[in-house]
Amino acid sequence: MRKSILLFVLFALTNIPLMILAQGGYKVTGHVVSAEDNEPMIGVSILEKGTTNGVITDVDGNYILEIKGTAKATLLFSYVGMQSQQHEVNPHTGTLNVRLVSDSELIDEVVVVAYGTRKKGTIAGAVSTVKAEKMENVPAAGFDQSLQGQTPGLTVISNSGEPSKSAVFQIRGTNSINSGTSPLFILDGVPISSADFNTISPADIESISVLKDASSTSIYGARAANGVVVITSKRGLSLDKAKVSLRAQWGFSQLASDDNWMMMNTPERIQFEKEIGLDSGQDYTLLSRTDVNWLDEVFNDRAPLQSYELSVNRATDRLNYYVSGGFYDQDGIAQNSTFRRYNLRANAEVKASNWLKMGTNTMMAYEEVAQAEEGEMALYTPISGSRFMLPYWSPYNKDGSLASQNDGTWTGTGQNPIEWMSNNPVNHKKYKLLSTVFAELTPVKDLTVRAQFGADYAHSTAFMQSFPSYIINNSSGSAGRSSSDILNLTETVTANYRWALNDDHSFNFLLGQEGVDYRSNGFQVVTRGQNNDRLTNVTAGTRASSWVDTTSSYAYLSFFFRGEYNYKDLYYAEGAVRTDASSRFGKDHRWGTFWSLGFMWNIKNEVFLKDVEWLTSAQIKLSTGTSGNSEINFYQHLALVSGNANYFNQAGLYPAQSGNEDLGWEQTWANNVGINFGIFNRANVNIDFYHKKTTNILMNVPTSYASTGEGWRWENIGAMMNRGVEIAVDGDVIRTKDFIWNLSANVSYNKNKLLELYNGVQEYVNSTTGLKYVVGHPVHEYFMNRYAGVNPANGDALWYTADGELTTEFREEDKVMTGKTFDSPWAGGFGTTLTWKGLSLSAQFSWMADRYVMNNDRFFEESNGLYSSYNQSKRLLYDRWKKPGDVTDIPRYGVVAQLDDRFLENASFLRLKNLTLAYSLPQLWLKKTNFFSSARIYLQGQNLLTWTGFTGLDPEVADNVYRAQYPSSRQFTLGVEVSF
């Protein structure tokens, strides 16, 4: 009986499809949810492909669709704001549940490149992308700080903790000696300066693409030899209604590291003075009552920070807009250091017709900045003065007022640096407008013509005062004003045509023309003789003590072409050519032509790898090509005279510049081999090898003063090489429904070598820098005397001669190439993110290795007699040679320090750049409010930990000398982000 029942059931099940077909169709049912929050989606369109048969989901996300007249069908699922999906069904399907993914996630599959976008996996060039989430919540005025350690080949050095100052960028090493080495920065199709980074709100940036090889950069031609950074601002997302987002941050900053502060305290200073004989006439009973750590006086450990951002965005089939406004306010950790910004942005696109789209990307910003003095070893500036001031000199009186020279309460030598700053304030203001307008026409199918016009305008002012009541001014104050205006106009016209043949061959052709017109002018005037603190302005002075009036301009004219070919998503090829004319060169050498070729083999799509399940993607890339550099002063090719000569109070002219009409483009030829592959749909590995050679280097070549009176002139001379490797790994170690653990890491290595100098010269000393240009060596290798330590018998300082022998004499002729450079050959970063339901924890580290810096601060601190009247390092008290047999690196007192490699320090570092703990409220809770669509709260720290052997306050130095630098700050912030 049981067998009969089973046979009956089996017969019934196997004949259900036949019964349905006999009735002319079958039904498919299912449930549609959002992949972002697993919430049911109402109104999703389900359409049978090739027909008008379709339904929409109900209030619970359910649907029932009857398929008629066929055994198989394809269903199209679509919804505004979501990526469309296709699924095949048949009479056996029955139930088909679907999870739709937001269009915002589609952005991850698109990479912004030169003059357009590409789908990830179809690019022959070396391109790295950093997405919005890496930048928008970082507590910094500019996006540049958040890029450190994020992508291989890109070196980002903070260089200054001043909130208003931008980081220093470099891509794949140094390509030039005296010309520009910074990448070309493009914001929404318009070139911008790194000086404007802080005018751009990080929350307004959608993505940043780093273009590193010739295939991706040569179409920019001019200025692309050092790589290109393409910045794309946010657009509206495809939503069924406008989305309003509010982001707020509150926090404070403090010195990132004070572990290396080695200045003497009062007991140590008194003991030191007694040991070296500076105790004559000192009342140590009185002095010992004061013990000031000047580091604490100059740097604030609770400098406040606040930021607010409001944005509204939406996209429909006809209109796309993103509008935002923000306020950012940060006090620097140093005295008299503040940054405040107000910013507005409006990005909009409108589809006027089926063949015309128009739009604009416009941002406005206003900044107020006060900057602390840095980089100068002077008593009166707080950052350097903090090292010189003795610990028993207090900058404040007992009642909290400033100790002043005016009333005699300042007892130290020279000026109280904190009082000096308060009596010599300098305030800056900046007004910024950057706007592009564009129109896209589609006159025929697959042809898009785009015309864009961009205007980048900046108006900057500064106001300087020195009050007459300040005693060192002798009742005569001063005031100065400066003003500058910069207008950079850019126009770009491109025509893009796509063509497909037999579904196997697809082509894409781009033809374009571009022009840049840059103009700037400014003035500065300083007057003296003011006699009232309340009237310390320019007009209240009695005489002008200095005046400057500048005007400059340059222009580029460019034409370019790019062709791309795709065969069955298996083989990709692209080629580009661009010709540029620069006004910075003479008419016979104004034009430069640059080109590139790129190939990519999508080897995973080959038949022999299609069935290898663990290998989810695999690509091999090759590229070669050239790009140019023209980053020199605007008029260097011209012979010029100047009119600022004063001959017995009579204005005169003199030859200021001899010029060089043969000056032309510096050119870099770059080659790249890349391998990309994915494993188990979990991890991705990218490896790139590159070789670059720069020729016709733009260099200041030394000349005889007798011939031109200048001592140098610009010439195209010499050659340089950079080669290296970059590796990036990113993957999910664990990925379940509720828990994801992601790890990422990247490392890059670059070797630099100077191949040729001028006129057959093999070496050239770059005086006063500690550097020497030598063919066969890195361009920024140190040339110094080698310190050999201290003779333990008598405390004498020892050096090595050029031949390696010991000597007690410090001689110029004993300088040698040290093999050490301040260009870091090794750099990278790594990070991890753990996500469990709505809770996430992420950490990002950055590092550099084998990078050397001359610590000029330490030279003053360990002068061993040169500057003993000011404070010195504890090491002079505890570690200097005092008696026979002492083994140390500091000689006996009186043997003064020399600028040798004793002060050349390894500035390698590992820094915990960012740590963030965040919680996103569950959708179930938010749904009950009938208002909020998302809510997130987070805590984060910036620059929390630093591991380094460098003895300065901050190992991030962009120059070869560390001198009174404004150190990086550690920041703690609380952030809230809500959308409705």
Side-chain angles (χ1 to χ4, degrees):
M1 181 66 180
R2 184 177 298 173
K3 290 182 178 179
S4 300
I5 295 173
L6 290 173
L7 288 171
F8 174 77
V9 172
L10 181 61
F11 176 79
L13 291 173
T14 56
N15 281 277
I16 285 175
L18 296 176
M19 295 167 58
I20 294 174
L21 288 174
Q23 296 171 1
Y26 54 92
K27 292 181 179 180
V28 178
T29 64
H31 187 58
V32 181
V33 298
S34 167
E36 184 177 0
D37 51 24
N38 283 324
E39 290 294 314
M41 297 191 63
I42 308 169
V44 176
S45 171
I46 301 101
L47 181 67
E48 181 184 353
K49 189 174 181 179
T51 73
T52 58
N53 180 34
V55 294
I56 62 172
T57 56
D58 60 20
V59 293
D60 296 317
N62 298 319
Y63 72 93
I64 301 174
L65 179 63
E66 184 175 351
I67 310 298
K68 299 179 180 179
T70 181
K72 291 184 179 180
T74 300
L75 302 188
L76 303 177
F77 292 77
S78 60
Y79 185 79
V80 175
M82 296 290 176
Q83 301 176 36
S84 298
Q85 295 185 17
Q86 296 187 30
H87 295 275
E88 285 192 356
V89 295
N90 57 53
H92 297 283
T93 302
T95 301
L96 175 63
N97 296 327
V98 174
R99 299 173 79 244
L100 291 184
V101 179
S102 170
D103 260 352
S104 61
E105 296 187 29
L106 185 62
I107 295 173
D108 291 335
E109 300 301 319
V110 174
V111 178
V112 178
V113 294
Y115 303 102
T117 59
R118 295 290 178 272
K119 185 179 178 181
K120 186 185 292 184
T122 65
I123 301 173
V127 181
S128 298
T129 301
V130 181
K131 294 298 183 181
E133 58 267 20
K134 298 290 187 179
M135 297 170 283
E136 56 191 2
N137 295 322
V138 173
F143 67 88
D144 48 342
Q145 306 291 339
S146 61
L147 295 180
Q148 191 176 66
Q150 294 284 357
T151 183
L154 174 65
T155 302
V156 181
I157 301 177
S158 296
N159 192 44
S160 174
E162 180 76 59
S164 64
K165 292 189 177 179
S166 58
V168 176
F169 284 64
Q170 195 173 87
I171 296 177
R172 292 185 168 181
T174 300
N175 295 310
S176 189
I177 296 178
N178 300 126
S179 184
T181 60
S182 178
L184 171 65
F185 299 98
I186 302 291
L187 173 62
D188 293 331
V190 176
I192 63 169
S193 167
S194 60
D196 293 327
F197 285 169
N198 287 330
T199 63
I200 307 168
S201 170
D204 288 339
I205 296 176
E206 183 59 54
S207 68
I208 293 178
S209 294
V210 182
L211 315 184
K212 297 179 284 190
D213 72 325
S215 180
S216 57
T217 64
S218 68
I219 196 170
Y220 280 113
R223 299 170 294 173
N226 300 311
V228 182
V229 177
V230 181
I231 308 160
T232 304
S233 61
K234 289 183 176 179
R235 304 292 189 271
L237 299 176
S238 298
L239 302 168
D240 56 350
K241 62 178 182 180
K243 179 181 180 181
V244 181
S245 298
L246 173 65
R247 179 185 290 109
Q249 293 187 77
W250 306 270
F252 64 90
S253 305
Q254 59 184 214
L255 195 64
S257 175
D258 59 2
D259 297 338
N260 293 329
W261 186 251
M262 294 293 294
M263 308 309 294
M264 296 178 186
N265 59 25
T266 294
E268 291 166 332
R269 177 65 193 186
I270 291 174
Q271 181 183 343
F272 177 69
E273 290 181 3
K274 290 179 178 179
E275 288 184 5
I276 65 174
L278 284 179
D279 54 341
S280 178
Q282 295 280 52
D283 184 353
Y284 287 129
T285 302
L286 176 63
L287 294 178
S288 62
R289 298 174 186 173
T290 303
D291 189 4
V292 175
N293 184 337
W294 276 86
L295 187 75
D296 296 336
E297 302 299 331
V298 170
F299 294 103
N300 185 357
D301 65 350
R302 291 292 184 273
L305 177 154
Q306 59 179 329
S307 175
Y308 306 93
E309 294 277 350
L310 179 66
S311 66
V312 183
N313 76 84
R314 191 187 178 189
T316 67
D317 59 344
R318 290 288 178 181
L319 177 65
N320 180 311
Y321 65 84
Y322 173 89
V323 180
S324 71
F327 170 71
Y328 184 91
D329 187 18
Q330 179 181 359
D331 283 355
I333 58 174
Q335 295 276 347
N336 293 75
S337 172
T338 60
F339 178 81
R340 177 175 293 179
R341 179 188 66 214
Y342 304 84
N343 60 276
L344 293 171
R345 172 170 287 278
N347 293 347
E349 296 179 3
V350 58
K351 191 174 182 180
S353 68
N354 291 333
W355 56 271
L356 176 62
K357 181 169 71 173
M358 303 179 70
T360 182
N361 303 312
T362 299
M363 61 153 283
M364 294 179 287
Y366 167 70
E367 296 177 351
E368 296 176 347
V369 178
Q371 292 181 341
E373 294 280 347
E374 64 171 323
E376 182 179 356
M377 301 305 295
L379 290 174
Y380 55 83
T381 60
I383 291 178
S384 65
S386 64
R387 297 181 177 276
F388 288 112
M389 298 296 105
L390 296 180
Y392 48 69
W393 297 342
S394 176
Y396 297 101
N397 299 314
K398 291 182 178 180
D399 61 1
S401 61
L402 276 174
S404 175
Q405 289 179 275
N406 288 0
D407 56 15
T409 54
W410 169 250
T411 59
T413 301
Q415 300 88 30
N416 178 350
I418 297 177
E419 183 190 24
W420 187 92
M421 284 295 293
S422 65
N423 281 279
N424 293 272
V426 181
N427 295 289
H428 302 262
K429 295 180 180 180
K430 186 174 184 177
Y431 305 82
K432 180 73 174 180
L433 171 65
L434 197 157
S435 180
T436 63
V437 292
F438 66 88
E440 281 190 4
L441 292 81
T442 310
V444 296
K445 183 181 179 181
D446 296 326
L447 175 63
T448 302
V449 179
R450 179 185 174 97
Q452 176 174 291
F453 178 79
D456 181 359
Y457 174 71
H459 173 65
S460 302
T461 65
F463 180 41
M464 176 275 289
Q465 295 171 283
S466 186
F467 299 121
S469 63
Y470 191 30
I471 192 170
I472 66 172
N473 289 335
N474 296 320
S475 300
S476 178
S478 64
R481 288 191 181 275
S482 67
S483 176
S484 69
D485 293 274
I486 299 175
L487 178 62
N488 192 21
L489 302 177
T490 306
E491 60 83 20
T492 308
V493 179
T494 59
N496 197 98
Y497 181 67
R498 297 181 181 273
W499 175 50
L501 178 64
N502 300 330
D503 294 329
D504 291 339
H505 309 272
S506 61
F507 300 86
N508 186 22
F509 301 104
L510 176 73
L511 182 64
Q513 179 271 327
E514 190 168 61
V516 175
D517 189 326
Y518 173 96
R519 299 178 185 274
S520 70
N521 60 75
F523 74 90
Q524 181 187 63
V525 61
V526 178
T527 65
R528 297 187 181 278
Q530 290 83 351
N531 59 14
N532 189 310
D533 284 2
R534 296 183 180 181
L535 292 173
T536 311
N537 51 42
V538 172
T539 56
T542 58
R543 66 189 185 279
S545 59
S546 67
W547 51 92
V548 178
D549 184 9
T550 61
T551 300
S552 60
S553 63
Y554 67 82
Y556 289 100
L557 178 62
S558 310
F559 300 91
F560 52 91
F561 170 81
R562 178 172 62 202
E564 301 171 64
Y565 170 67
N566 174 6
Y567 175 67
K568 290 186 176 181
D569 289 333
L570 184 60
Y571 304 110
Y572 297 83
E574 62 180 53
V577 62
R578 175 166 177 144
T579 181
D580 291 282
S582 172
S583 64
R584 297 178 181 181
F585 302 131
K587 62 179 182 178
D588 294 333
H589 301 272
R590 187 158 292 165
W591 287 92
T593 301
F594 312 99
W595 58 270
S596 70
L597 295 172
F599 305 92
M600 195 269 281
W601 180 18
N602 193 357
I603 192 172
K604 172 59 180 175
N605 285 352
E606 292 284 6
V607 175
F608 59 84
L609 285 179
K610 275 194 173 181
D611 295 331
V612 180
E613 295 183 359
W614 61 268
L615 187 66
T616 51
S617 65
Q619 301 168 341
I620 298 175
K621 301 182 295 184
L622 303 171
S623 69
T624 185
T626 62
S627 49
N629 190 355
S630 63
E631 291 303 295
I632 59 174
N633 292 338
F634 305 147
Y635 307 114
Q636 291 296 335
H637 73 284
L638 295 174
L640 300 176
V641 297
S642 179
N644 62 349
N646 187 332
Y647 297 96
F648 301 102
N649 291 325
Q650 296 293 318
L653 299 177
Y654 70 95
Q657 178 176 297
S658 59
N660 182 1
E661 287 298 325
D662 292 328
L663 210 58
W665 288 89
E666 182 178 285
Q667 184 168 286
T668 297
W669 183 13
N671 303 280
N672 192 88
V673 178
I675 304 170
N676 306 332
F677 57 91
I679 306 173
F680 297 114
N681 203 26
R682 288 289 185 89
N684 294 294
V685 180
N686 299 323
I687 305 174
D688 283 286
F689 302 89
Y690 64 87
H691 182 280
K692 300 191 298 180
K693 182 178 180 181
T694 303
T695 56
N696 292 327
I697 292 178
L698 289 162
M699 180 180 175
N700 283 328
V701 176
T703 61
S704 171
Y705 280 94
S707 59
T708 65
E710 301 163 85
W712 58 270
R713 71 194 299 255
W714 280 98
E715 291 187 16
N716 289 106
I717 198 99
M720 186 187 304
M721 176 272 292
N722 286 275
R723 66 170 180 262
V725 60
E726 301 165 355
I727 303 173
V729 181
D730 185 352
D732 293 335
V733 179
I734 300 174
R735 186 169 64 203
T736 65
K737 178 181 178 182
D738 294 326
F739 180 72
I740 298 175
W741 177 21
N742 176 269
L743 288 174
S744 63
N746 69 81
V747 58
S748 60
Y749 171 76
N750 180 81
K751 180 177 179 59
N752 174 271
K753 183 189 292 186
L754 191 60
L755 302 178
E756 179 186 335
L757 277 169
Y758 57 91
N759 302 333
V761 171
Q762 295 297 302
E763 57 185 45
Y764 163 54
V765 176
N766 192 354
S767 60
T768 73
T769 66
L771 304 175
K772 183 180 183 181
Y773 304 138
V774 179
V775 172
H777 288 254
V779 68
H780 290 144
E781 184 175 340
Y782 289 95
F783 177 67
M784 309 185 75
N785 293 88
R786 294 172 293 171
Y787 187 63
V790 175
N791 186 337
N794 56 18
D796 282 344
L798 299 174
W799 291 272
Y800 291 107
T801 67
D803 296 326
E805 301 293 331
L806 286 176
T807 180
T808 57
E809 293 184 70
F810 181 86
R811 303 181 305 178
E812 286 290 318
E813 57 265 32
D814 288 330
K815 288 184 176 181
V816 298
M817 300 299 287
T818 62
K820 300 173 182 179
T821 171
F822 73 85
D823 290 324
S824 177
W826 294 95
F830 57 91
T832 184
T833 301
L834 295 94
T835 304
W836 179 69
K837 295 186 176 180
L839 190 66
S840 68
L841 175 66
S842 64
Q844 180 66 37
F845 295 80
S846 65
W847 59 271
M848 291 185 179
D850 286 346
R851 186 171 188 270
Y852 289 83
V853 171
M854 186 66 182
N855 191 339
N856 196 69
D857 286 359
R858 193 170 138 230
F859 171 79
F860 282 89
E861 295 167 13
E862 299 179 15
S863 68
N864 212 25
L866 285 175
Y867 305 102
S868 294
S869 58
Y870 303 106
N871 206 11
Q872 297 284 277
S873 168
K874 298 173 186 284
R875 299 194 67 232
L876 285 186
L877 176 63
Y878 298 118
D879 298 337
R880 80 176 190 275
W881 187 96
K882 297 180 181 179
K883 63 182 185 303
D886 284 350
V887 178
T888 179
D889 64 330
I890 301 179
R892 56 185 165 80
Y893 184 77
V895 180
V896 298
Q898 302 290 341
L899 285 170
D900 51 43
D901 71 349
R902 169 185 162 195
F903 303 106
L904 185 61
E905 297 187 18
N906 191 334
S908 303
F909 68 89
L910 169 63
R911 174 164 276 173
L912 176 53
K913 197 66 181 177
N914 184 269
L915 181 67
T916 302
L917 176 64
Y919 180 67
S920 297
L921 274 63
Q923 285 293 317
L924 183 63
W925 297 2
L926 298 172
K927 193 173 182 180
K928 292 179 180 179
T929 67
N930 293 321
F931 183 71
F932 293 105
S933 59
S934 66
R936 180 174 177 263
I937 185 170
Y938 55 92
L939 291 168
Q940 67 174 319
Q942 190 85 351
N943 296 331
L944 288 181
L945 298 169
T946 303
W947 294 270
T948 181
F950 184 65
T951 62
L953 290 178
D954 190 3
E956 290 193 55
V957 191
D959 204 350
N960 65 311
V961 178
Y962 179 86
R963 179 174 48 233
Q965 179 173 308
Y966 194 132
S968 295
S969 63
R970 178 189 295 123
Q971 296 165 329
F972 299 90
T973 54
L974 166 67
V976 176
E977 182 180 353
V978 295
S979 298
F980 42 86

